[in-house]
């Protein structure tokens, strides 16, 4: 979402940084919870569609309370863009949750960072944005990183990597519609409509794959939805208080937090190639984001 850049004093900059870092910790925790719910034999073995439904359902409950208090105006809601954005967000989240159950969290997270490349290419055609050599070069760096991380053709290549790349594709397409919405609609409306549509779609699909969770499963399903909505709220607050050029690089610390959580809970240590590939993807994504903000 494009930031509302306010005059930055020292205090506001520190607040923005802390909010962004907290967002990253929570988003890393979301993928960890998804892995706990879906991975076998370590996890509970729930289907990714069911995990995605829990993410939207409990997030919708939380944001509904906020809407009941604030009573925002819903006049002028652009439903086609909301529906497209929400369906793409549901697909990207489901794919990311599925990938997290199959491959290390750091790898799944890093591959999802290819989404700015997808958004950049689509914006060039759909939004008539000009893409210069810096961003094309950065896209090349990110794609090389993806090749290093996934190692296609080797024994280490896994279906989880393909699913994570699919998540990046859907996430990149979602970014186009989110950009259109954020230019014309307030954040609370975007959050509520997104989670409402996502809840209806995800719960409908999950009903065909539903298995009754244990008490632990219900607790984790509630946690994934509530954690996601708090992360979204913190991200909005961070972007309101800080310059994008300051905050965008910090967003990619999700990779570090994901790796640390995966090691702490599952004892997973990514291979050297995974870290090199992830570093290249993050480098490319940061350059694309910063150059895009400067040109925009």
């Amino acid at each position: 979402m494009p930031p509302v850049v306010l005059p930055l004093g020292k205090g506001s900059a520190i607040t923005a940084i802390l909010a962004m870092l907290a967002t990253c910790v929570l988003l890393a925790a979301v993928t960890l919870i998804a892995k706990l719910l879906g991975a076998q034999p370590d996890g509970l073995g729930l289907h990714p569609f069911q995990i995605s439904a829990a993410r939207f359902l409990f997030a919708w409950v939380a944001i509904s309370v906020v809407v009941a208090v604030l009573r925002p105006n819903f006049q002028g809601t652009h439903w086609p863009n909301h529906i497209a954005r929400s369906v793409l967000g549901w697909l990207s989240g489901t794919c990311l949750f599925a990938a997290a159950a199959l491959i290390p969290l750091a790898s799944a997270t890093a591959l999802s960072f290819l989404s700015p490349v997808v958004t950049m290419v689509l914006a060039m055609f759909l939004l008539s944005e000009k893409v210069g050599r810096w961003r094309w070069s950065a896209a090349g760096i990110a794609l090389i990183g993806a090749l290093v991380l996934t190692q296609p053709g080797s024994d280490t290549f896994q279906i989880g990597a393909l699913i994570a790349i699919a998540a990046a594709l859907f996430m990149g397409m979602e970014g186009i519609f989110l950009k259109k919405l954020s230019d014309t609609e307030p954040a609370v409306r975007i959050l509520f409509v997104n989670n409402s549509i996502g809840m209806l779609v995800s719960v409908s699909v999950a009903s065909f794959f539903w298995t009754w969770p244990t008490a632990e499963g219900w607790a984790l399903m509630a946690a994934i939805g509530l954690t996601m909505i708090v992360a979204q709220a913190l991200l909005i607050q961070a972007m309101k208080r800080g310059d994008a050029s300051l905050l965008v690089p910090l967003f990619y610390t999700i990779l570090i937090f994901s790796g640390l959580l995966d090691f702490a809970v599952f004892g997973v240590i990514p291979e050297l190639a995974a870290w090199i590939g992830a570093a290249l993807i993050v480098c490319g994504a940061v350059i694309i984001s910063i150059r895009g903000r400067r040109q925009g």
Side-chain angles (χ1 to χ4, degrees):
M1 180 179 297
V4 178
V5 181
L6 303 178
L8 283 178
K10 183 176 180 181
S12 60
I14 293 175
T15 300
I17 290 171
L18 292 176
M20 179 59 80
L21 291 175
T23 298
C24 294
V25 172
L26 292 176
L27 290 176
V30 165
T31 57
L32 175 68
I33 297 170
K35 186 167 186 172
L36 288 169
L37 284 167
Q40 295 188 28
D42 301 303
L44 300 180
L46 298 185
H47 196 281
F49 283 130
Q50 187 172 350
I51 300 171
S52 184
R55 169 260 182 269
F56 278 106
L57 175 61
F58 288 100
W60 176 80
V61 171
I63 193 63
S64 293
V65 175
V66 176
V67 168
V69 174
L70 298 181
R71 298 183 179 277
N73 184 1
F74 287 91
Q75 290 184 349
T77 300
H78 196 284
W79 291 104
N81 284 346
H82 277 290
I83 292 171
R85 181 263 166 125
S86 298
V87 172
L88 289 168
W90 164 65
L91 289 171
S92 65
T94 302
C95 287
L96 183 58
F97 295 159
L102 298 172
I103 61 177
L105 292 185
S107 297
T109 303
L111 288 170
S112 72
F113 289 161
L114 290 170
S115 58
V117 178
V118 179
T119 302
M120 181 195 78
V121 174
L122 291 176
M124 183 176 64
F125 292 103
L126 300 179
L127 304 179
S128 300
E129 287 190 2
K130 294 182 179 179
V131 178
R133 59 184 180 181
W134 271 98
R135 285 201 281 174
W136 278 119
S137 299
I141 292 172
L143 292 175
I144 291 172
L147 291 174
V148 173
L149 194 155
T150 57
Q151 301 179 56
S154 70
D155 293 336
T156 59
F157 182 75
Q158 298 184 42
I159 188 64
L162 284 178
I163 297 175
I165 292 172
L169 292 174
F170 290 129
M171 203 177 299
M173 289 187 282
E174 179 193 7
I176 294 294
F177 292 97
L178 180 56
K179 183 172 183 180
K180 290 182 177 181
L181 290 169
S182 61
D183 288 340
T184 58
E185 301 193 22
V188 172
R189 183 197 299 176
I190 293 173
L191 282 175
F192 179 72
V193 174
N194 166 240
N195 283 287
S196 297
I197 297 172
M199 182 268 294
L200 292 173
V201 174
S202 62
V203 170
S204 298
V205 175
S207 63
F208 295 98
F209 302 90
W210 188 268
T211 57
W212 198 258
T214 62
E216 180 187 2
W218 279 114
L220 289 173
M221 288 168 66
I224 198 171
L226 297 176
T227 303
M228 177 61 82
I229 202 67
V230 173
Q232 289 177 318
L234 283 172
L235 179 61
I236 291 171
Q237 293 306 312
M239 298 303 279
K240 282 184 177 180
R241 288 168 170 75
D243 194 327
S245 62
L246 171 69
L247 298 176
V248 165
L250 291 176
F251 182 78
Y252 294 98
T253 58
I254 295 175
L255 183 63
I256 298 173
F257 296 127
S258 295
L260 291 174
L261 289 174
D262 210 13
F263 173 74
V265 177
F266 293 99
V268 174
I269 302 177
E271 298 178 354
L272 178 61
W275 286 114
I276 294 174
L280 290 172
I281 292 173
V282 170
C283 179
V286 168
I287 294 172
I288 289 172
S289 299
I290 292 178
R291 295 294 297 186
R293 296 293 182 183
R294 289 179 178 177
Q295 293 180 8

